[in-house]
Amino acid sequence: MDDERKRIDEENKRRIASMSSEEIEQEQQELLATLDPSIIQRLLKRANFDEGRGDTGIYPPSEAQAIQNEEEKAPKSKEDSEAVPAPEPEGKPVEPQKSVRFEEDEAPKNPIGLKPASEATSTPIELPQPKVHFPAPAALPDLDPDDPSFLENMHKKYFPSLPADPTKLAWMAPIPTHGSIADQESPYYPGSEALAASALRFDFRGGLLPPRIARAMPTTKGLHHHGEAPESAGYTIPELARLARSAFPAQRCLAFQTLGRFLYRLGRGEWGDVGTEMSKGLWRCVEEGKVIKTLEEASSAEGGHQGSKAYAIEALWLWQKGGGHIWKAD
């Protein structure tokens, strides 16, 4: 590409050299007349760029070096010689930071006699005993659940500052052993000469449980509870009357179902005629516990637990099937 450009340039120069000045001027006039003025301006600028001078201010390397040499050789003007020198910076000079070096600790003159663990003596290290002495409380004996005074001993050992109320802890007392004094004091002891009607116990079918059978019945039947005579299975009529007014629907259902079956048996005279002592005593328990009134209120209640309401209606129906009346005691 450069060779072609040089060849064309040399050919143009030879042609221009063979032309006279009049011919060159005539050719320029014809060329300027045919071209657009803006194109002519662009070509002139391009020519200045290529030659490195003109209105661009750019000179060839040789000319730029010559101008720089002339400026260096030129004498300085009076203004340059009288110019004020730049002020020196004020303030204290910055000194290098000081370093501090600590001397190493010297080895102790009397080093501690440390020994390896393998050479340690087997004797324990004796620690100084404290000089202050605190009196220790008297040791109480271990609690024995079979001890008759178990509740009293437990209160003294764990709750000495609280008031004692044995009745609240009676349900925690262990079942007395057979034939013991506590066992003989049970309200449902088999060897008793007579039993109160309020102490008689019944199963879930409303049947009477004699004392010996109640004690022999296994706990898997679900008839044992923390009431009077916990060693005997079954429920008394006063206990069922309290459960019939319970806030828990499951307890009310159990009481209503058992009371309904009991009332049917009682009305049919299963435990004697109306005039017998046992029958009178049982009717007295029903009257004092307000069993019939409780069943009527539960059967006519609006809303609430519908299961207990159904058991109350069933209990009233069984009561009516058994006679539907209460034989009051004289």
Side-chain angles (χ1 to χ4, degrees):
M1 185 68 180
D2 293 339
D3 296 340
E4 182 69 18
R5 183 177 179 182
K6 289 180 180 180
R7 187 182 62 79
I8 295 173
D9 186 44
E10 291 176 356
E11 184 179 353
N12 291 335
K13 288 181 179 180
R14 286 195 301 269
R15 183 177 297 180
I16 292 173
S18 62
M19 295 174 64
S20 61
S21 59
E22 289 81 4
E23 292 177 351
I24 293 173
E25 185 177 357
Q26 185 179 358
E27 291 293 335
Q28 289 180 351
Q29 293 296 331
E30 291 178 359
L31 184 62
L32 293 175
T34 57
L35 294 176
D36 189 6
S38 60
I39 297 177
I40 296 173
Q41 294 293 333
R42 292 172 60 184
L43 292 175
L44 292 175
K45 289 182 179 181
R46 179 65 179 272
N48 293 334
F49 275 116
D50 293 340
E51 295 179 0
R53 62 181 185 275
D55 56 351
T56 60
I58 301 175
Y59 298 92
S62 59
E63 295 182 4
Q65 186 67 26
I67 293 171
Q68 184 177 1
N69 294 336
E70 290 178 359
E71 291 179 354
E72 292 178 356
K73 294 179 181 179
K76 295 183 179 180
S77 61
K78 184 178 180 181
E79 295 179 357
D80 295 338
S81 60
E82 295 179 357
V84 180
E88 296 182 359
E90 297 179 357
K92 297 180 180 180
V94 179
E95 297 180 357
Q97 296 182 355
K98 296 181 180 180
S99 60
V100 181
R101 180 175 177 274
F102 295 94
E103 295 182 358
E104 297 182 357
D105 296 336
E106 297 180 358
K109 296 180 180 180
N110 298 323
I112 302 173
L114 299 178
K115 297 181 180 180
S118 59
E119 299 180 3
T121 58
S122 59
T123 57
I125 300 174
E126 295 182 359
L127 298 176
Q129 297 295 331
K131 298 181 180 180
V132 181
H133 173 68
F134 295 97
L140 296 175
D142 295 335
L143 298 179
D144 184 10
D146 297 331
D147 189 358
S149 58
F150 168 74
L151 297 178
E152 184 179 356
N153 295 337
M154 183 176 63
H155 180 268
K156 290 181 180 179
K157 185 173 183 179
Y158 295 106
F159 313 101
S161 60
L162 298 179
D165 190 358
T167 58
K168 294 183 178 180
L169 301 177
W171 67 274
M172 297 178 60
I175 296 176
T177 57
H178 181 69
S180 62
I181 298 176
D183 186 35
Q184 295 178 8
E185 294 177 353
S186 173
Y188 214 53
Y189 182 63
S192 300
E193 296 180 358
L195 296 173
S198 59
L200 298 178
R201 311 184 80 82
F202 301 87
D203 58 11
F204 293 139
R205 301 178 65 86
L208 179 64
L209 292 175
R212 295 186 184 276
I213 297 177
R215 289 199 170 201
M217 186 170 291
T219 57
T220 55
K221 297 294 184 179
L223 291 169
H224 291 79
H225 56 89
H226 295 289
E228 295 182 358
E231 71 280 355
S232 301
Y235 290 83
T236 63
I237 300 304
E239 290 173 348
L240 291 172
R242 287 194 297 269
L243 290 177
R245 296 187 295 272
S246 173
F248 295 95
Q251 292 181 343
R252 295 200 305 271
C253 292
L254 181 146
F256 292 160
Q257 187 181 44
T258 306
L259 286 173
R261 296 171 180 179
F262 161 77
L263 290 173
Y264 175 78
R265 292 171 181 264
L266 181 61
R268 296 294 297 269
E270 186 171 329
W271 299 296
D273 296 334
V274 178
T276 59
E277 292 295 329
M278 185 174 179
S279 179
K280 289 181 180 180
L282 291 175
W283 280 115
R284 185 182 297 108
C285 292
V286 172
E287 184 180 4
E288 291 177 355
K290 300 180 180 180
V291 174
I292 303 301
K293 183 179 180 181
T294 302
L295 293 175
E296 291 176 348
E297 291 177 354
S299 62
S300 60
E302 296 182 0
H305 192 263
Q306 297 300 313
S308 60
K309 182 178 180 179
Y311 280 116
I313 295 173
E314 180 188 20
L316 289 175
W317 180 79
L318 290 173
W319 168 59
Q320 292 175 358
K321 292 288 290 183
H325 55 274
I326 298 177
W327 296 94
K328 295 184 179 181
D330 296 337

